[in-house]
Amino acid sequence: MINLIDIITQELKLRNYSPKTIKAYTFVARDLYGYFKKPLRELSSNEIKGYLLKKQARSLASQTIALYVNAINFIFREIYKKDGFENLKHPKKTQKLPVVLNREEIKKIIDNIDNLKHRLMIALAYGAGLRVSEVVRLKVLDIDFDELTLVVRQGKGKKDRLTILSKNIRSDLEKIIIGKKNNDYIFESERGGGLTEMSAQKVFYTALKKAGIKKPASFHSLRHSFATHLLENGVDVRYVQELLGHANIRTTQIYTKV
């Protein structure tokens, strides 16, 4: 089993898959082995389908089941190259509207954060439409204060993109990077290096609670709110698509239904 994990990891790295995908696929391989207690190459299609049905019975999201399907397809098609293996079909995706915070709620969340660095992190995530993984990886060299833009390097799908920087946080942002080098993280942890995603999410949830907001919002709701507010202001959906880095316009169009 250890050898299989090493092989999967090596193959995924060679194909330039993200660390998150590598972690997810190797987790599925371990979970499969733990469930059946036998080499994965010996599993039949019916056994695998039964395994996935058990996952569905636990009410896992369709996106999570799809991740399991992708991992299993990769293992049997690309690692084992098993003859006669038919790709498993993805479950039909559930269409849930994103949780969006209104402008007043965004302001309340930001106002309930005392730490300047943390306050700017939340404001920047909202004002630029960033994922939590993107905001904690931002470096000084990624910000262009003259053009009021920032570069998101190697975002989802290993793609770089350009997005906007709010002039309202420009001066405070300039203050916290004084003395930093170009390659330094903007939001550093006390131990050095960038903040973890978990730390950033904790800052958000603490502020959400202090603001008395009852919506089931997450850090990602800042990005949802950014897109929705731009569309409310009459910004063209294709421009919003570029700012968010969506490959498909249909992904962006979900915000027109909010």
Side-chain angles (χ1 to χ4, degrees), residues 45-146:
S45 294
N46 285 337
E47 284 177 314
I48 294 170
K49 287 174 183 176
Y51 165 83
L52 291 171
L53 283 170
K54 285 279 177 65
K55 296 294 180 185
Q56 280 187 323
R58 288 173 49 198
S59 300
L60 293 183
S62 60
Q63 289 87 340
T64 304
I65 301 295
L67 187 147
Y68 276 81
V69 168
N70 284 338
I72 291 167
N73 283 340
F74 182 85
I75 291 166
F76 284 87
R77 187 184 64 243
E78 305 297 333
I79 304 298
Y80 288 137
K81 302 187 186 298
K82 196 170 181 180
D83 291 336
F85 177 78
E86 290 187 17
N87 271 0
L88 298 165
K89 305 295 184 193
H90 289 92
K92 188 176 180 181
K93 286 186 178 180
T94 53
Q95 280 291 345
K96 289 184 180 179
L97 289 177
V99 177
V100 171
L101 298 155
N102 62 43
R103 290 169 179 78
E104 188 58 36
E105 288 169 332
I106 295 284
K107 186 176 184 304
K108 277 184 182 179
I109 289 169
I110 293 170
D111 288 346
N112 272 284
I113 303 172
D114 296 324
N115 182 294
L116 176 61
K117 179 179 70 176
H118 292 166
R119 190 163 66 245
L120 282 173
M121 177 178 64
I122 298 300
L124 184 59
Y126 164 67
L130 304 180
R131 300 175 178 92
V132 64
S133 59
E134 295 168 346
V135 76
V136 297
R137 288 203 312 267
L138 274 179
K139 294 186 175 181
V140 174
L141 58 84
D142 299 328
I143 305 288
D144 188 329
F145 288 106
D146 294 327

Side-chain angles (χ1 to χ4, degrees), residues 11 15 31 41 59 64 79 83 91 102 107 132 139 141 152-153 194 202 233 240 244 250:
E11 190 64 33
R15 299 182 188 210
D31 196 60
R41 65 166 67 249
S59 300
T64 304
I79 304 298
D83 291 336
N102 62 43
K107 186 176 184 304
V132 64
K139 294 186 175 181
L141 58 84
V152 178
R153 302 187 191 277
K202 187 176 179 181
N233 286 351
V240 178
L244 293 173
R250 288 197 297 271

